Amino acid sequence: MKLNLKIWRQGGKYKGEFVNYPNLEVNPDMSFLEMLDVLNEELVSKREEPVAFEHDCREGICGTCSLVIDGQAHGPMKGTTTCQVHMRHYHEGETIVIEPFRAQSFPVIKDLVVDRSAFDRIIQSGGYVSVNTGQAQDANAIPIEKEQASHSFDAAACIGCGACVAACPNSSAMLFTSAKVSHLALLPQGLVEHQKRVLAMVAQMDKEGFGKCSNVTACEAECPKEISVENIARMNREYMGAVFASDKKMV
Amino acid sequence: MATAIDSKIPAGNITEKWESYKGHVPLVAPNNKRRIDVIIVGSGLAGASAAASLGELGYNVKCFTFHDSPRRAHSIAAQGGINAAKNYRNDGDSVYRLFYDTIKGGDFRAREANVHRLAEVSGDIIDQCVAQGVPFAREYGGLLDNRSFGGTQVSRTFYARGQTGQQLLIGAYQALSRQVALGTVKLYNRHEMLDTVVVDGKCRGIIVRNLLTGELERHAAHAVVLCTGGYGNVFYLSTNAMMCNTTATWRAHRRGAFFGNPCYTQIHPTCIPVSGEYQSKLTLMSESLRNDGRCWVPKKAEDRLKDPRQIPEEDRDYYLERRYPAFGNLVPRDIASRAAKVACDEGLGVGKSGLAVYLDFADAIKRKGKAAVELAYGNLFDMYAKITGENPYETPMRIYPAVHYTMGGLWVDYDLMTSVPGLYACGEANFSDHGANRLGASALMQGLADGYFVLPYTIGSYLSKEIRTGAISTNTPEFEQVEKEVRERINQLMNLGGSQSVESFHRRLGKIMWDKCGMARNAEGLKQAIQEIQALKAEFWKDAFVPGSANDFNPELEKAWRVADFIELGELMCRDALHRNESCGGHFREEYQTDKGEAERDDVNFQYVAAWEWGGNGEPVLHKEPLVYEEIEVVQRSYE
């Protein structure tokens, strides 16, 4: 089938503009990124610079791929990363608009590639358990209720892609940050540092320039791992607890 | 001329070697660690765990990754699990049994002392990961759950849904992030290592390219550790992520590091089949599925394209259960892959291409209920449905083997040091502990064992002699020279000005490798492959085209450098496969098989590690490390 692409190009000779690529021959079994591969091979054969986009595992787990497709982060399907979108969901003659994730804290590097290193800095500010190699006790010395571990896992499944920020009208990173806060706060291993952690991570999130949360919940709707906004509620509670009822004051 | 090399295996009984080593290895005092710089290249399980652990010890660590974030490393995609000899099941597991299974699974081509050490530290890894907050699967009593994997008769695999690699990597990434915040590790993302610098016979640093600006940078250290993964993408189509490459290991090889057993590649039996020419990568369906899925093909060729649900039981051949009753669908990967190939070669392969077999869950759904199957494999079933548009709860999956892992890699001694002093290799990047075939759930174990529990000890042996060296300058003729060579090669690539895309060369290389150095190999095909690859290399350097600029973010240039290295490695793999006149594990030479079509080893002539030295423009030089089995009796591997 033939499709028309309208792609955001930025850097080099492009100042930041949409460029049309009409009549691309596409096989319905291709993935979305394989379609971009075909476009790029065509551009290279015409001695033109290919469209820069990020990708790696192409099976929905590394979080490298991004793209806003027809206005939606990671495209039209629920719980799916861009690399898992297949062209059989599109029809002959359709026009697809492709843009980078847009947020002040994710500056565009080139075309569809943005800098998401702010997420690394949020984790560095406190998204871990302080345990050195070799300090651990036997793994079964800490029983954890199955359901509790499962809740924690649901939050830990975040792939750090940034779709939540791209989907949010305020470019808020609350879903990403709260997923890490929840993952660790729901486990006994993470409890020791839970207050320090939430304060540090929220402070870093604000410092990076991400917006505030106004309960739009677009983040949950467009999250390819369907991370729940419950995590945001939990982070708010953790944060309030740390600010107003610090464990330290009770000693 | 082949010469023997020293693997520095400690003396003593197999169960005492590592304990005794740890008790006697020289240490670096805390005040001296601060004066020692270590470079880690790569941030996957091996790299992140090594960088975090060395940072915790107090060394000055620099960690490099070409990704935008350390969390993107391909370890993230490992699905099924991680082995450990915890014996939480009380099912007869032990350190010795894990050791034995791994040696046997590797078809008696792995080094005993390393594998025993791996089994010894396996339990510590689980403890460490749980303490970091890795949410492994649990039972209702709150304790850890296990599952079975191929090649074993115990349940020793710990798992985190179908995302074990992701959760383990995030654990290591968080430990690394903590050290970054503490200032012991400096992180360089979007930086790719393009060469190593050797000064007076010791590795003293690396040249990296800043992928955003194109700038070349020099970084010096007292030791360099490559944790840069495997080279499965030499086949173009593999389950590896798109950016996985051999550049770091290949460049180190060209600077003197021997390459061990390059022809040992693992073809994973359960992947989603190729659907067309445009295909960019293959997707793995975890081996854990073979716990409940049954592999079969129709008995009659005319049933190939029939709806599989309409084919009655008596017309189905459950070929693994028939050929290997003791292990059934849980035979090791090399055996399961070859059996699928045999079925398809006989004309019984299913689907349009004829290159697929069924993996059927109908019995499991009947026995356990759909909900239980969904709980165990839900994310894998969803992944399958997204890619193929078919529902595996209703119709059997179609699967076919695909390149997944490379057991070969840089040759290392017991200390994980390559043949270049001061240059180490960990994880999949080294020729590793898996012999000629890796068992499922052992890659995560080895990557983390190397990074958390082995390297932090063994590197001290070398660094304890470096405490008087002082800071290493990058302002030397050696750094100057290597940087110049890197710059020249980049310019050469940018100025090729030919007519063919780099991608098209990669695709052609992959086809040569898959057809002639893939699941089955023979001497004639390998000789042809060597010639074809040499011709491809000449054509590449004449007619490839790299768009854009070298002083900018340019993924096409990155790809061109990597593909050029893959072409050279491909030739070495074929040479290694050609010289090894036997079949073992993942290396199956058609000339050497038993009456039943199983791999036939030649222990008299080939019980050694082939460690290849770069031969410049001439032929590579073969060095042999004999494999001495003091503990285990070497036998014909049988899973019948």
Side-chain angles (χ1 to χ4, degrees):
Chain A
M1 63 180 170
K2 286 203 173 358
L3 292 173
N4 308 304
L5 303 182
K6 191 173 169 185
I7 301 178
W8 183 262
R9 308 263 350 221
Q10 184 171 339
K13 69 172 180 176
Y14 301 103
K15 295 272 171 290
E17 60 199 279
F18 279 108
V19 177
N20 287 307
Y21 298 95
N23 290 321
L24 187 71
E25 184 61 45
V26 175
N27 180 316
D29 283 332
M30 277 178 186
S31 71
F32 199 89
L33 297 184
E34 283 167 349
M35 173 187 71
L36 291 182
D37 291 341
V38 169
L39 172 68
N40 276 348
E41 275 220 64
E42 252 186 58
L43 292 176
V44 172
S45 73
K46 287 191 273 186
R47 289 278 198 273
E48 285 177 43
E49 193 150 351
V51 178
F53 64 96
E54 284 201 288
H55 61 96
D56 199 22
C57 78
R58 297 206 176 188
E59 52 190 68
I61 193 73
C62 72
T64 311
C65 69
S66 53
L67 308 187
V68 171
I69 302 169
D70 290 333
Q72 277 184 290
H74 290 298
M77 292 151 67
K78 221 178 141 39
T80 304
T81 56
T82 292
C83 64
Q84 295 174 300
V85 174
H86 280 72
M87 301 317 293
R88 63 179 79 94
H89 303 289
Y90 290 90
H91 305 290
E92 176 73 36
E94 259 185 276
T95 299
I96 307 175
V97 181
I98 308 172
E99 300 166 79
F101 281 180
R102 295 186 191 279
Q104 188 196 309
S105 308
F106 287 170
V108 172
I109 290 170
K110 189 178 186 179
D111 297 337
L112 304 171
V113 178
V114 299
D115 179 358
R116 291 170 283 185
S117 54
F119 273 12
D120 282 335
R121 292 187 291 273
I122 291 175
I123 299 296
Q124 285 157 15
S125 72
Y128 44 75
V129 174
S130 296
V131 52
N132 283 0
T133 303
Q135 288 181 329
Q137 59 193 322
D138 185 83
N140 261 352
I142 324 166
I144 303 170
E145 200 192 342
K146 188 179 169 77
E147 208 145 298
Q148 184 84 357
S150 182
H151 274 312
S152 169
F153 198 121
D154 291 341
C158 167
I159 57 174
C161 65
C164 47
V165 175
C168 177
N170 312 324
S171 299
S172 169
M174 287 285 270
L175 192 65
F176 168 79
T177 309
S178 68
K180 187 50 60 193
V181 165
S182 292
H183 161 209
L184 297 173
L186 285 166
L187 296 173
Q189 301 93 306
L191 270 184
V192 177
E193 299 166 286
H194 73 132
Q195 295 194 323
K196 189 173 151 230
R197 178 181 308 118
V198 70
L199 293 175
M201 290 181 75
V202 169
Q204 186 65 33
M205 183 178 83
D206 291 344
K207 196 174 145 194
E208 296 289 347
F210 290 105
K212 308 290 181 199
C213 174
S214 53
N215 295 327
V216 178
T217 72
C219 51
E220 179 186 282
E222 299 197 14
C223 172
K225 295 295 147 184
E226 304 180 79
I227 306 285
S228 165
V229 291
E230 265 179 33
N231 293 302
I232 296 180
R234 187 177 294 106
M235 180 166 82
N236 285 335
R237 197 177 64 218
E238 285 272 324
Y239 187 79
M240 299 306 264
V243 170
F244 295 114
S246 163
D247 293 348
K248 281 186 190 145
K249 287 180 191 157
M250 296 170 66
V251 175
Chain B
M1 218 345 242
T3 48
I5 41 177
D6 181 12
S7 43
K8 298 198 192 119
I9 298 169
N13 186 289
I14 190 85
T15 56
E16 291 156 10
K17 286 180 196 287
W18 179 235
E19 269 314 304
S20 152
Y21 179 99
K22 285 194 291 184
H24 296 95
V25 65
L27 299 174
V28 181
N31 57 332
N32 283 327
K33 286 197 180 99
R34 286 195 294 272
R35 285 190 279 245
I36 295 215
D37 304 317
V38 181
I39 284 174
I40 310 274
V41 186
S43 67
L45 286 180
S49 61
S53 302
L54 294 178
E56 288 160 11
L57 287 172
Y59 292 110
N60 279 317
V61 180
K62 288 180 178 179
C63 180
F64 295 84
T65 168
F66 58 64
H67 285 102
D68 68 321
S69 162
R71 67 182 294 156
R72 312 279 188 224
H74 186 55
S75 307
I76 199 111
Q79 298 170 355
I82 175 166
N83 288 329
K86 279 285 198 185
N87 194 27
Y88 283 162
R89 302 286 97 187
N90 193 29
D91 60 357
D93 200 10
S94 64
V95 165
Y96 190 88
R97 205 174 282 277
L98 173 53
F99 158 66
Y100 184 86
D101 286 347
T102 307
I103 293 275
K104 178 187 172 192
D107 214 356
F108 304 93
R109 289 291 176 266
R111 194 189 282 157
E112 268 191 346
N114 284 52
V115 176
H116 199 277
R117 175 176 67 189
L118 178 67
E120 283 175 69
V121 304
S122 65
D124 298 342
I125 298 171
I126 304 302
D127 298 343
Q128 186 64 32
C129 294
V130 166
Q132 289 168 346
V134 171
F136 283 119
R138 287 176 185 271
E139 299 174 320
Y140 284 103
L143 302 179
L144 293 165
D145 194 13
N146 293 105
R147 56 165 60 142
S148 295
F149 257 62
T152 67
Q153 290 171 313
V154 294
S155 286
R156 65 160 74 98
T157 305
F158 294 80
Y159 65 101
R161 296 185 189 159
Q163 295 144 251
T164 316
Q166 180 201 25
Q167 294 307 317
L168 294 177
L169 182 62
I170 286 177
Y173 158 72
Q174 287 172 190
L176 169 64
S177 297
R178 176 172 161 245
Q179 294 307 309
V180 172
L182 290 170
T184 63
V185 180
K186 192 160 167 26
L187 183 66
Y188 294 81
N189 64 346
R190 296 189 193 272
H191 279 69
E192 181 162 30
M193 181 200 122
L194 293 182
D195 220 331
T196 55
V197 181
V198 178
V199 181
D200 296 332
K202 290 177 174 176
C203 184
R204 290 303 196 191
I206 57 176
I207 303 294
V208 298
R209 180 167 178 269
N210 178 329
L211 298 182
L212 294 182
T213 63
E215 253 172 284
L216 296 182
E217 298 171 12
R218 304 174 187 181
H219 292 273
H222 297 87
V224 174
V225 187
L226 302 185
C227 305
T228 54
Y231 50 87
N233 275 345
V234 71
F235 291 89
Y236 186 69
L237 286 182
S238 82
T239 66
N240 285 186
M242 301 297 286
M243 292 200 281
C244 293
N245 67 78
T246 188
T247 285
T249 49
W250 188 252
R251 291 284 125 192
H253 172 62
R254 290 182 50 128
R255 296 281 173 202
F258 295 170
F259 214 107
N261 298 330
C263 81
Y264 288 169
T265 43
Q266 175 159 84
I267 316 281
H268 196 291
T270 52
C271 301
I272 299 178
V274 177
S275 67
E277 269 296 311
Y278 51 80
Q279 190 121 7
S280 60
K281 77 151 280 173
L282 297 171
T283 302
L284 173 79
M285 288 283 101
S286 167
E287 176 161 313
S288 60
L289 292 169
R290 285 195 278 140
N291 269 300
D292 283 306
R294 300 176 70 194
C295 294
W296 65 276
V297 290
K299 281 183 182 165
K300 303 179 212 151
E302 63 261 34
D303 287 347
R304 273 194 340 104
L305 297 170
K306 237 188 194 171
D307 180 341
R309 289 165 295 185
Q310 307 301 322
I311 301 176
E313 275 297 312
E314 62 270 22
D315 288 341
R316 300 175 176 195
D317 179 13
Y318 293 91
Y319 55 90
L320 289 177
E321 296 166 36
R322 172 174 57 78
R323 290 176 61 182
Y324 308 100
F327 284 70
N329 290 293
L330 283 175
V331 291
R333 292 176 174 177
D334 53 336
I335 290 177
S337 291
R338 253 189 327 270
K341 181 179 189 295
V342 168
C344 294
D345 288 350
E346 285 170 356
L348 301 170
V350 299
K352 268 183 269 175
S353 66
L355 291 175
V357 299
Y358 291 123
L359 181 64
D360 199 333
F361 291 87
D363 283 355
I365 291 171
K366 216 182 290 169
R367 194 174 70 244
K368 300 175 154 181
K370 190 183 163 194
V373 170
E374 192 174 345
L375 192 67
Y377 311 112
N379 66 325
L380 298 171
F381 278 40
D382 291 348
M383 198 191 271
Y384 182 87
K386 272 177 194 157
I387 292 173
T388 62
E390 290 175 12
N391 179 353
Y393 291 103
E394 284 167 13
T395 180
M397 287 184 176
R398 277 179 295 118
I399 53 153
Y400 197 65
V403 174
H404 181 53
Y405 185 89
T406 49
M407 282 76 68
L410 292 180
W411 180 87
V412 289
D413 63 16
Y414 189 75
D415 288 354
L416 304 181
M417 188 153 84
T418 69
S419 44
V420 176
L423 179 65
Y424 291 76
C426 294
E428 194 180 349
N430 70 28
F431 86 106
S432 91
D433 304 341
H434 309 296
N437 173 58
R438 179 175 66 74
L439 290 180
S442 283
L444 304 185
M445 173 174 66
Q446 185 227 334
L448 289 180
D450 287 0
Y452 283 136
F453 295 109
V454 179
L455 186 79
Y457 284 93
T458 61
I459 203 169
S461 160
Y462 178 80
L463 293 176
S464 61
K465 298 181 201 90
E466 293 288 336
I467 53 176
R468 291 186 187 81
T469 307
I472 292 165
S473 168
T474 55
N475 215 350
T476 62
E478 289 88 353
F479 273 95
E480 182 86 25
Q481 177 61 25
V482 177
E483 188 188 313
K484 190 172 146 246
E485 289 173 26
V486 169
R487 193 176 308 273
E488 279 167 4
R489 187 173 153 99
I490 290 174
N491 289 340
Q492 211 182 340
L493 286 168
M494 291 309 305
N495 294 328
L496 284 175
S499 65
Q500 301 177 63
S501 71
V502 167
E503 192 76 11
S504 68
F505 282 97
H506 194 183
R507 209 178 279 128
R508 282 162 66 192
L509 173 69
K511 189 164 166 34
I512 300 171
M513 295 301 293
W514 179 247
D515 288 346
K516 302 197 165 99
C517 195
M519 258 192 288
R521 299 135 180 210
N522 62 57
E524 199 191 336
L526 289 164
K527 281 179 198 158
Q528 282 170 9
I530 292 168
Q531 283 182 355
E532 287 171 32
I533 293 169
Q534 285 170 345
L536 190 73
K537 181 177 170 182
E539 193 179 330
F540 177 92
W541 287 103
K542 221 163 57 195
D543 199 33
F545 169 65
V546 182
S549 145
N551 307 316
D552 190 7
F553 180 70
N554 187 350
E556 288 291 314
L557 171 60
E558 296 164 27
K559 190 159 67 182
W561 181 297
R562 294 168 191 162
V563 170
D565 286 341
F566 271 136
I567 293 175
E568 293 182 2
L569 168 68
E571 185 184 330
L572 183 69
M573 289 169 69
C574 293
R575 283 181 185 276
D576 186 41
L578 179 62
H579 112 281
R580 190 168 279 279
N581 288 322
E582 64 162 353
S583 293
C584 56
H587 169 64
F588 190 76
R589 280 280 299 271
E590 288 167 342
E591 304 96 314
Y592 307 99
Q593 51 182 309
T594 66
D595 302 341
K596 287 183 177 169
E598 303 295 345
E600 190 167 41
R601 290 197 323 261
D602 176 354
D603 294 332
V604 176
N605 294 304
F606 290 96
Q607 194 166 296
Y608 61 77
V609 177
W612 295 90
E613 182 183 357
W614 171 246
N617 292 324
E619 303 229 330
V621 183
L622 175 65
H623 301 266
K624 295 178 182 177
E625 179 201 338
L627 289 167
V628 181
Y629 290 93
E630 293 172 344
E631 186 62 34
I632 284 178
E633 189 194 349
V634 177
V635 293
Q636 167 80 35
R637 204 166 53 140
S638 168
Y639 291 96
E640 284 176 20

